[in-house]
Amino acid sequence: MLYDELAGLLFPHIDKTPEYYEEKYPARALPAGARVTRLGPSPTGFIHLGNLYMALANERLAHQSGGVFFLRIEDTDSRREVEGAAESLVASLDYYGIRFDEGASAEGESGAYGPYRQSRRAEIYQCFVKKLVAEGKAYPCFLTEEEIAAIRGEQEAKKLMPGIYGAWAKHRDLPPEEVCRRIEAGAPWVIRFRAGREVWLAGPDEAAEARFSIEDGIRGILTLPKNRMDVVILKTGGLPTYHFAHVADDHLMRTTHVIRGEEWISSLPVHVALFEAMGWTPPAYCHTTVLMKTDGGLKRKLSKRKDPELSLEYYRKEGYHPLAVREYLLTVSNSDFEEWRLANPGAPAWDFTFTTDKMGHSGILFDMDKLRDVSKETLLKIPASGLADFLTEWACHAGLPEAAHLQKDKAYLEKILDIGRNGEKPRKDLAFGAQILDFIRYFYDELFQIEDPWPENIPPGDIPRLLSGYLAAYSQADDRTAWFERIRVLAEENGYAAKPKDFKKNPERYKGHVGDVSTVIRIALTGRANSPDLWEIQQILGESRTKARLSARL
Ligand code: GLU
């Protein structure tokens, strides 16, 4: 039996030709140097930081070159599929400003290179697999799971490389009549790629002839053993494995750059061999590295089980501003980003030119402290009005009861968020929603409570006395100097030093100093021993709220 007869027997329903698809999906009309990239997530439901990291790199490469960035859902493994996973991924990435030009989306699909869900492309894959079979480059294999397990057992016992290859590929050269008989009898089959015999003849993996080199966009030249495996390219049921699916898709969708995880480096030889067998040029592969953290002084991979910060949801829940997360990811993604940022402090992050060769390849350290620092810098550049909107939206989205208070008066919230941000040395402590909310809750009567203890050195009876003295002297019209002068007078009248240095010189003469008196007032007004500038806080709280809080402690 000829190979093409076998191909016809295996795929009787495939009437399209490879040429048909080549014509249907022509080379894209894009300016020279434009890159076509994609995100190819499996819809498992768990959206992690790695998705965003990878999406950001792909998006930057495409959009800064005038190219195309598309979304392809890699759903050929239905066991791992979770309903609605693709939609939530699109929504999560959108939150961080990552937009696709074409592909799968919550509203359906757009673009001329679809379908963009692999499960809907079965016929396309089969057409090209049929071609490989017709050319003798792929063959049906009937090995059962038990037979494969037995082969693995034997290989383990002999300390041989596991897998279906060489003499272990028992159905590679089955007599044609036998193949025909099994297919007609309805025996289940998969299609395996027929690895070139010349690789075996070239000697062991280490032999120069058995190796090939390829340039990785991140890692430079990689030298790897050529493929020896007869890998499965089409599974029983007619859907492809990742190996074949991405080769066919990235060719037909005219992808120019593939940025993907380093776990795929070991299958790169298979992918390159498949591109060769198809007569296609592979895209530029760029293998990233894993995200790591330091834990007890040791670096380790971020883990789904142990590290909530691996989930993308975490950042939204905690209220990190999308621009801050983006900025931080760029910091860890491209080694020259920080330098660029120092030289261009006010520029939007998308003005930075992202390059794959500046991407790390030996474990990227993801450090929450650093994220917070970057976030503080980023928030400082956002005007109070934008910050107020962000905080309110975040609180609403998170379903927090505080949201209602924030929503009531935007001008009030703006003033609160702007405290100390506009001077020469602006305050840089606002980092993320949950923390900011905690900082500012005392501005809202419904959320205000006394949290810190009164200063220990102040006799309890002095507290109402100091507060009523302050209330009696209070004037909303005081400027900062006049205001503080009143506190000094109040301190002196009650046996406290008007200046800390007087107290230091003669501690036995005083109960404390003006700082302790301010602390008492601060606690009465904010509930806390530490806060931003008290005068400014009073200006924002307003006269009646300030006076009411003081009266409440008398
Ligand atoms: N579906 C693959 C994954 O989720 C995509 C790898 C790729 O981008 O090629 O790992």
Side-chain angles (χ1 to χ4, degrees):
M1 187 173 56
L2 295 171
Y3 286 138
D4 56 356
E5 272 174 49
L6 173 59
L9 189 61
L10 288 165
F11 303 103
H13 58 291
I14 295 298
D15 52 4
K16 307 253 184 338
T17 60
E19 294 70 36
Y20 165 85
Y21 291 113
E22 293 289 352
E23 244 170 69
K24 181 170 179 195
Y25 306 115
R28 292 171 183 267
L30 290 171
R35 280 140 184 214
V36 179
T37 63
R38 81 315 193 262
L39 199 65
S42 303
T44 58
F46 179 60
I47 304 168
H48 52 88
L49 202 57
N51 291 130
L52 180 61
Y53 168 71
M54 216 87 89
L56 186 60
N58 276 303
E59 187 269 348
R60 284 295 76 215
L61 275 199
H63 289 159
Q64 74 193 10
S65 66
V68 173
F69 175 47
F70 67 88
L71 175 64
R72 179 172 73 225
I73 303 298
E74 308 213 325
D75 57 350
T76 56
D77 186 355
S78 51
R79 284 168 307 170
R80 295 172 62 207
E81 182 151 0
V82 169
E83 256 304 289
E87 289 71 16
S88 359
L89 180 75
V90 172
S92 296
L93 295 177
D94 187 74
Y95 181 68
Y96 293 97
I98 307 279
R99 314 257 145 79
F100 296 96
D101 304 304
E102 64 182 55
S105 82
E107 294 81 41
E109 288 201 349
S110 66
Y113 289 79
Y116 294 89
R117 278 175 196 265
Q118 291 184 330
S119 57
R120 298 190 193 147
R121 298 173 62 81
E123 279 200 7
I124 305 178
Y125 303 120
Q126 290 169 15
C127 170
F128 287 94
V129 170
K130 184 176 180 183
K131 173 177 155 54
L132 285 180
V133 173
E135 291 171 352
K137 294 174 180 168
Y139 65 90
C141 169
F142 306 90
L143 287 175
T144 60
E145 272 180 37
E146 295 71 36
E147 285 170 315
I148 293 175
I151 290 176
R152 193 175 312 121
E154 229 182 295
Q155 288 169 332
E156 265 166 30
K158 293 184 177 156
K159 300 206 176 353
L160 292 172
M161 176 168 72
I164 303 300
Y165 57 91
W168 302 101
K170 298 189 177 165
H171 296 168
R172 183 179 164 116
D173 296 312
L174 274 187
E177 310 71 51
E178 178 59 13
V179 175
C180 198
R181 194 190 58 72
R182 292 193 189 205
I183 294 170
E184 276 163 357
W189 47 264
V190 299
I191 302 290
R192 286 186 186 273
F193 178 55
R194 193 189 297 271
R197 270 189 216 282
E198 68 290 350
V199 185
W200 292 98
L201 299 173
D205 264 1
E206 303 72 41
E209 296 74 31
R211 298 173 84 78
F212 74 105
S213 293
I214 182 168
E215 180 157 6
D216 182 291
I218 297 177
R219 294 158 193 259
I221 303 286
L222 296 177
T223 301
L224 302 166
K226 287 186 185 161
N227 175 54
R228 293 167 187 255
M229 292 288 163
D230 283 8
V231 291
V232 174
I233 54 176
L234 201 71
K235 300 181 278 188
T236 314
L239 279 179
T241 54
Y242 168 75
H243 303 311
F244 191 75
H246 99 275
V247 166
D249 292 346
D250 284 326
H251 170 72
L252 294 172
M253 297 177 174
R254 312 293 168 179
T255 308
T256 64
H257 288 67
V258 168
I259 302 180
R260 62 181 183 183
E262 67 180 2
E263 67 277 16
W264 296 110
I265 295 181
S266 57
S267 355
L268 190 54
V270 180
H271 303 158
V272 170
L274 281 169
F275 269 102
E276 240 167 58
M278 296 302 309
W280 295 334
T281 312
Y285 280 107
C286 312
H287 291 94
T288 64
T289 182
V290 285
L291 297 174
M292 309 190 76
K293 73 182 277 183
T294 358
D295 186 7
L298 292 176
K299 252 176 136 187
R300 66 163 174 78
K301 222 171 125 172
L302 275 174
S303 123
K304 184 171 166 181
R305 201 168 41 84
K306 292 193 222 153
D307 308 311
E309 73 266 32
L310 181 60
S311 150
L312 208 49
E313 186 48 33
Y314 173 85
Y315 302 91
R316 184 146 190 199
K317 208 163 130 239
E318 292 288 292
Y320 282 92
H321 196 288
L323 284 181
V325 177
R326 248 186 104 106
E327 178 90 5
Y328 178 61
L329 278 181
L330 283 170
T331 308
V332 295
S333 297
N334 248 203
S335 54
D336 52 353
F337 180 77
E338 271 182 289
E339 206 181 303
W340 175 87
R341 177 47 87 205
L342 280 177
N344 302 279
W350 39 92
D351 281 0
F352 170 73
T353 307
F354 190 91
T355 49
T356 52
D357 61 344
K358 292 285 192 310
M359 289 178 83
H361 51 82
S362 56
I364 288 179
L365 200 56
F366 194 85
D367 175 357
M368 290 301 284
D369 291 335
K370 181 81 199 253
L371 166 65
R372 278 181 208 128
D373 286 345
V374 168
S375 191
K376 288 174 187 169
E377 294 286 345
T378 310
L379 295 194
L380 204 53
K381 292 179 201 149
I382 301 177
S385 158
L387 214 49
D389 289 339
F390 165 72
L391 195 70
T392 311
E393 271 163 35
W394 162 74
C396 290
H397 181 263
L400 301 180
E402 289 90 343
H405 308 307
L406 300 181
Q407 257 170 333
K408 251 187 300 190
D409 185 349
K410 185 174 170 201
Y412 185 57
L413 178 57
E414 269 182 48
K415 279 192 229 151
I416 296 170
L417 293 173
D418 230 7
I419 295 182
R421 293 205 327 147
N422 299 310
E424 242 170 57
K425 271 203 182 156
R427 162 182 182 216
K428 244 190 241 175
D429 51 358
L430 303 184
F432 59 99
Q435 172 238 24
I436 299 175
L437 185 57
D438 211 48
F439 270 169
I440 67 165
R441 57 175 61 247
Y442 56 80
F443 279 97
Y444 296 89
D445 288 335
E446 301 84 345
L447 309 175
F448 166 71
Q449 56 185 30
I450 302 289
E451 293 170 18
D452 287 341
W454 303 99
E456 269 176 24
N457 58 331
I458 300 218
D462 272 11
I463 290 168
R465 195 171 312 127
L466 286 169
L467 292 176
S468 67
Y470 183 66
L471 179 60
Y474 187 81
S475 165
Q476 187 75 12
D478 280 350
D479 64 10
R480 212 183 240 106
T481 321
W483 163 73
F484 200 64
E485 201 37 51
R486 281 194 213 271
I487 301 188
R488 282 200 213 278
V489 172
L490 178 70
E492 264 182 340
E493 283 171 358
N494 286 279
Y496 294 82
K499 292 185 179 148
K501 71 170 194 279
D502 295 342
F503 174 73
K504 258 194 213 136
K505 253 189 262 160
N506 296 302
E508 64 296 334
R509 249 211 251 156
Y510 304 100
K511 294 193 248 178
H513 61 75
V514 64
D516 301 314
V517 177
S518 306
T519 303
V520 171
I521 301 169
R522 191 183 300 279
I523 294 179
L525 293 179
T526 70
R528 301 166 186 195
N530 291 302
S531 78
D533 183 77
L534 198 51
W535 179 81
E536 233 178 298
I537 291 177
Q538 292 174 159
Q539 294 303 308
I540 297 171
L541 286 174
E543 184 164 2
S544 63
R545 200 184 270 119
T546 302
K547 287 187 167 171
R549 288 192 185 180
L550 295 169
S551 311
R553 305 293 146 205
L554 301 184

